[in-house]
Amino acid sequence: MPAGSDLIYCYDGSFDGLLCCVFESYEKKEIPVDILVAATAQPLLFSTKEIPTDSQKAGRVLASIPQKLGPAALVFIQQAFLTCLGQKELYILLFLRLGYRNGPSVMNMLTDNVVGTLCRAVKHLERESHLFKGFLRFSIFSNVLVGEIEPKNYVLPLLTQHFCERYPEERFLIYDKTHGMGLVYQPYQSAVIPISSLDLPAADAEEQRFRELWQLFYDTIAIEGRYNPTCRMSHMPKRYWTYMTEFGSRPKEARPKLPDAGRTLLPIPVQEKLP
Amino acid sequence: MDVFDKLKILTDAAKYDVACTSSGVNKKAAAGGIGSAAACGICHSFSADGRCISLFKVLLTNICIYDCKYCVNRRSNDTPRTMFSPRELAELTINFYRRNYIEGLFLSSGVLKNPDYTCEQIIETLRILREEYRFAGYIHAKAIPGADSALITRLGLLADRMSVNIELPSQNSLQLLAPDKSKHAIFTPMGHIQNRIRENSRDIVKYRHAPKFVPAGQSTQMIIGATADTDYQILNLTENLYKRYQLKRVFFSAYMPVAVDSLLPALDTAPPLWREHRLYQADWLLRFYGFAADELLDQQQQSFNPYLDPKCNWALHHMDSFPVEVNRASYRDLLRVPGIGVTSAQRIVTARRTTSLHFDNLKKLGVVLKRAQYFITCAGKTADGIKNTPNAMLRSLLSAKTLELYHSQFASRPEQLSLFHQPALRPLPQEASNNAGRV
């Protein structure tokens, strides 16, 4: 192992910055014990080394990845960079070092600790972003769709294409509260911008009506005899419920009285017994 | 009646339909339109019964001229009746869709006046969505049995998926409980849809812009437990539907008692949820694991074992195919190991290209060994400390959930304890394989 393993790299938190750390690690023949974002780094026992972001160095590393490790590996580390994995920077560095030694087959080395850890983190990211494609809820304020999410991973880049294709003629905003970022879209233009906080106006009558209609649908569609909250929870953990319309506060008058003509309510069937 | 009342009545009447997925087609809105569809399908919520809500599942009307005994909407049932106008329903769909509540529309209907008229109303709803709103999201429509084939064709050009419900797994059951329907009335539209799909796939090769006919294929559903049909009959019918009609999915729905009739199970009958679950497991084995129906059940063994999933049950009867060597076995053989699913099998095949796999590696890959360890070797070795006794094996084969269920229901009853210990031992092949699985 190269010398200098009590070093900590500090970088600016950008993907290019991380690639410069990779450059530095090869140029100086050293492997840091950790890579931290400069702004968040505390005074530490280890000696720290500031790695300046240099687009030329970053470009050289970037170009080498698909060449030496294959195009799939580049997509893989770009996604890994969006995950909430602790020490993701160090894992990405170690992954690239492993890849420069082994070539594209590094993607098959699933039993390796570094590759395995990154794979799990990327799976988590993909799963979370997939769930938000469904669980995200928009409210409409003066014809702009606004939705809030609180994801663990930085999923906005993975949601962009889906929502832009879904609502090509709309204007919308998806606010990621965890990361203080927002995806804004107007026909055929989108951007991800920093947003520190978001105060939403009260829903107007029309918006309120559709929220209540949706809550009514949600309550009605469940079959009483199959009530199974555990199953619901495993598919849709509670942390996703915060911004979902169907779990929002509901005024009592939202449930209309129905004509009861002869409608016998069924007894809830007894728990099924195995033979 | 306002839209809240209509929505409540027509959702309530539609909720027993289970074929509610949004998968099978990839597309996006044209300029000026709205909507997209993802082939993997997207669940937008989960209802209190744990089932996925992906589509706005609703009936156009719950008025029906038929009197199927198992159905809430049967003519003789005294229940409030209503109907959406096509425009009202299209507007509601778009408003739900814009707020990302749903992935699209699942539209079924009672039969109003006659099948043709009902079909025309459904077509009109879809036409408004597709032509006026230029909606490119997912639409699943019910083909109304008995409707003219020209109407079915028009519907198919507007919908992504169509389904004709078989409802009851045999002609006898149909005669008994749905006297107005016949096998013929169900299979005719199903066959027609299949033919049009086949012709359409040829057209698309020739003309790139040929309009797509039900691009996400067709599905069906049947009710489990309302009649005497066995799992074996149901599974064979399912296999035939996949083979003969190229269905994308067959759904099973445990019978929920919603009507009193001397021919039906009593109102307090529990829905056979375990049976439904076993059938879905077997259905997965047919579609993704390369199993045939007659490998899982046969004339002698017509019902699934409630305690063991169909794959474990199969493995216990075929101990001569095991153990399989993880480093050499084909993907197909790996898939037959209890506890190894599609994801695990794929990871094993990928990982073994660069290294020889041991039990520790398998854990790192996320392969769950609880069940699998009894059926595999790694580099010729079995797992450390494995007691390959029938009892240890069975304990590992019963899922934690089943075990819990077992404890909560039977633990206090001594005669049930013996049911677990002794007959459970019998199924193992060396001792008496022909009794296997009959707990």
Side-chain angles (χ1 to χ4, degrees):
Chain A
M1 187 184 231
S5 61
D6 56 346
L7 255 182
I8 289 182
Y9 282 180
C10 284
Y11 79 119
D12 65 356
S14 69
F15 189 65
D16 275 4
L18 178 60
L19 294 179
C20 290
C21 295
V22 178
F23 192 94
E24 181 81 6
S25 160
Y26 269 93
E27 193 181 49
K28 300 282 159 61
K29 297 191 168 53
E30 61 192 18
I31 299 176
V33 284
D34 205 354
I35 301 176
L36 301 173
V37 178
T40 61
Q42 304 284 322
L44 293 155
L45 289 174
F46 296 100
S47 47
T48 58
K49 190 173 180 182
E50 199 79 33
I51 311 293
T53 300
D54 174 335
S55 59
Q56 217 178 354
K57 286 179 183 175
R60 277 175 63 187
V61 178
L62 187 68
S64 72
I65 297 170
Q67 251 173 42
K68 300 273 172 60
L69 285 73
L74 179 59
V75 176
F76 182 66
I77 61 156
Q78 281 168 335
Q79 294 207 334
F81 189 67
L82 304 177
T83 63
C84 58
L85 173 70
Q87 293 191 307
K88 66 185 178 196
E89 294 91 349
L90 185 67
Y91 276 105
I92 292 172
L93 174 88
L94 295 174
F95 173 82
L96 288 173
R97 294 195 70 107
L98 194 66
Y100 286 123
R101 269 205 310 280
N102 291 285
S105 71
V106 68
M107 293 297 285
N108 297 334
M109 297 167 72
L110 303 178
T111 55
D112 182 88
N113 253 340
V114 171
V115 185
T117 307
L118 282 177
C119 271
R120 276 192 297 279
V122 169
K123 266 267 149 2
H124 182 221
L125 166 83
E126 283 174 343
R127 185 177 145 74
E128 195 183 31
S129 74
H130 178 79
L131 291 181
F132 274 118
K133 285 176 189 173
F135 297 162
L136 181 132
R137 295 284 174 269
F138 284 117
S139 294
I140 301 182
F141 301 104
S142 46
N143 225 18
V144 178
L145 318 182
V146 184
E148 269 182 283
I149 52 173
E150 233 173 296
K152 288 183 178 164
N153 298 285
Y154 185 49
V155 295
L156 278 187
L158 275 71
L159 297 180
T160 308
Q161 194 196 357
H162 173 79
F163 283 105
C164 294
E165 283 179 1
R166 189 176 168 96
Y167 303 112
E169 297 295 324
E170 306 273 358
R171 289 185 297 151
F172 67 78
L173 162 69
I174 300 172
Y175 171 52
D176 174 346
K177 202 175 172 190
T178 320
H179 301 88
M181 299 296 277
L183 167 67
V184 286
Y185 177 87
Q186 62 182 48
Y188 308 102
Q189 271 181 309
S190 73
V192 177
I193 54 167
I195 294 177
S196 52
S197 71
L198 189 66
D199 278 324
L200 293 173
D204 61 17
E206 160 140 315
E207 172 61 25
Q208 192 56 37
R209 192 170 91 101
F210 283 111
R211 285 183 189 177
E212 284 163 20
L213 280 166
W214 177 245
Q215 288 169 348
L216 177 68
F217 175 81
Y218 180 82
D219 290 343
T220 313
I221 201 75
I223 298 176
E224 312 87 69
R226 302 181 63 123
Y227 182 63
N228 191 349
T230 325
C231 179
R232 167 169 64 182
M233 200 82 83
S234 64
H235 285 116
M236 187 172 63
K238 260 201 166 141
R239 73 180 178 95
Y240 292 99
W241 296 16
T242 323
Y243 300 103
M244 292 175 78
T245 316
E246 48 270 45
F247 301 108
S249 58
R250 9 185 128 180
K252 281 212 174 83
E253 59 271 26
R255 316 255 184 94
K257 276 241 160 83
L258 275 181
D260 286 338
R263 180 116 176 88
T264 45
L265 280 175
L266 294 169
I268 292 171
V270 287
Q271 177 74 43
E272 183 200 0
K273 289 195 182 64
L274 288 166
Chain B
M1 197 178 277
D2 75 358
V3 66
F4 279 90
D5 288 341
K6 288 187 184 178
L7 181 68
K8 183 158 172 75
I9 293 168
L10 294 170
T11 304
D12 199 44
K15 67 186 178 186
Y16 299 100
D17 240 311
V18 285
C20 188
T21 64
S22 59
S23 57
V25 63
N26 247 333
K27 59 181 176 166
K28 55 180 183 177
I34 178 173
S36 61
C40 57
I42 296 174
C43 299
H44 282 248
S45 193
F46 287 86
S47 62
D49 56 28
R51 300 197 297 172
C52 151
I53 299 173
S54 160
L55 304 173
F56 174 31
K57 180 165 58 178
V58 74
L59 296 188
L60 189 68
T61 177
N62 65 339
I63 303 169
C64 194
I65 54 170
Y66 293 137
D67 203 31
C68 304
K69 294 194 171 49
Y70 54 83
C71 181
V72 262
N73 303 316
R74 65 192 181 282
R75 193 179 54 220
S76 59
N77 193 22
D78 179 17
T79 185
R81 306 280 175 175
T82 187
M83 179 180 184
F84 277 124
S85 74
R87 190 160 299 278
E88 200 174 23
L89 188 55
E91 202 179 304
L92 204 51
T93 307
I94 289 292
N95 271 294
F96 280 179
Y97 191 84
R98 282 180 84 205
R99 288 168 175 80
N100 206 39
Y101 297 161
I102 50 167
E103 193 62 11
L105 175 66
F106 176 107
L107 188 54
S108 181
S109 182
V111 177
L112 180 66
K113 289 185 194 167
N114 58 55
D116 281 353
Y117 180 78
T118 310
C119 202
E120 278 163 8
Q121 295 300 305
I122 294 179
I123 289 171
E124 176 60 8
T125 312
L126 268 51
R127 189 201 62 78
I128 295 172
L129 279 168
R130 294 292 198 213
E131 287 174 14
E132 295 184 21
Y133 288 102
R134 308 191 65 184
F135 176 67
Y138 199 90
I139 298 180
H140 179 150
K142 261 304 145 54
I144 305 293
D148 189 87
S149 66
L151 291 173
I152 301 277
T153 304
R154 267 176 65 201
L155 192 56
L157 289 168
L158 294 164
D160 291 291
R161 175 171 283 184
M162 272 170 98
S163 58
V164 192
N165 283 358
I166 287 186
E167 305 293 15
L168 297 164
S170 65
Q171 176 69 27
N172 284 347
S173 312
L174 274 175
Q175 239 156 27
L176 207 61
L177 297 181
D180 302 321
K181 285 189 181 171
S182 71
K183 214 169 138 181
H184 179 74
I186 293 164
F187 286 110
T188 307
M190 203 182 265
H192 175 71
I193 293 169
Q194 188 211 356
N195 286 336
R196 287 290 294 127
I197 292 175
R198 206 185 287 146
E199 284 168 26
N200 188 240
S201 64
R202 280 201 300 268
D203 290 350
I204 284 171
V205 174
K206 275 193 271 182
Y207 321 103
R208 201 160 60 88
H209 296 292
K212 293 200 172 84
F213 186 85
V214 282
Q218 63 169 325
S219 64
T220 189
Q221 80 167 53
M222 49 187 128
I223 297 167
I224 305 307
T227 53
D229 305 288
T230 65
D231 293 341
Y232 176 63
Q233 288 165 315
I234 294 168
L235 198 66
N236 267 314
L237 173 63
T238 305
E239 189 179 56
N240 274 327
L241 289 168
Y242 287 134
K243 280 186 183 157
R244 279 186 47 197
Y245 291 96
Q246 273 101 42
L247 290 200
K248 278 276 153 54
R249 281 296 300 272
V250 175
F251 293 89
F252 309 103
S253 159
Y255 174 71
M256 298 289 305
V258 287
V260 187
D261 192 288
S262 60
L263 296 171
L264 283 171
L267 267 191
D268 60 353
T269 311
L273 296 179
W274 271 102
R275 220 181 135 194
E276 180 194 284
H277 179 59
R278 290 284 175 251
L279 279 164
Y280 273 123
Q281 287 178 319
D283 174 68
W284 234 257
L285 294 179
L286 297 185
R287 290 187 301 137
F288 300 113
Y289 289 74
F291 278 90
D294 57 12
E295 285 182 282
L296 301 172
L297 291 172
D298 53 40
Q299 285 291 352
Q300 284 76 46
Q301 186 64 55
Q302 298 225 359
S303 302
F304 285 115
N305 183 327
Y307 285 110
L308 282 175
D309 74 67
K311 194 192 197 183
C312 284
N313 203 34
W314 175 85
L316 284 177
H317 287 82
H318 294 82
M319 284 310 284
D320 49 323
S321 327
F322 298 104
V324 301
E325 168 55 46
V326 167
N327 288 293
R328 279 195 310 274
S330 67
Y331 175 71
R332 185 185 163 280
D333 288 347
L334 285 172
L335 278 181
R336 295 199 161 215
V337 176
I340 293 184
V342 171
T343 313
S344 294
Q346 280 170 351
R347 285 200 192 138
I348 288 172
V349 172
T350 306
R352 71 188 184 187
R353 288 183 199 144
T354 54
T355 180
S356 163
L357 296 175
H358 301 275
F359 281 94
D360 286 352
N361 300 142
L362 290 181
K363 277 183 203 153
K364 278 190 195 163
L365 291 179
V367 177
V368 182
L369 291 174
K370 187 171 180 270
R371 278 174 283 172
Q373 60 187 351
Y374 294 92
F375 300 91
I376 54 175
T377 56
C378 287
K381 291 196 194 94
T382 52
D384 287 341
I386 272 288
K387 279 191 215 129
N388 217 340
T389 64
N391 216 352
M393 214 155 154
L394 261 170
R395 266 175 206 283
S396 80
L397 290 176
L398 292 177
S399 70
K401 225 175 169 181
T402 319
L403 213 60
E404 202 179 285
L405 193 85
Y406 163 77
H407 280 308
S408 65
Q409 287 192 8
F410 303 124
S412 56
R413 284 191 256 161
E415 74 277 10
Q416 295 290 350
L417 262 176
S418 69
L419 177 144
F420 178 64
H421 284 295
Q422 282 156 10
L425 284 175
R426 247 190 292 144
L428 289 177
Q430 305 90 317
E431 296 168 60
S433 60
N434 56 343
N435 274 334
R438 269 180 233 159
V439 179

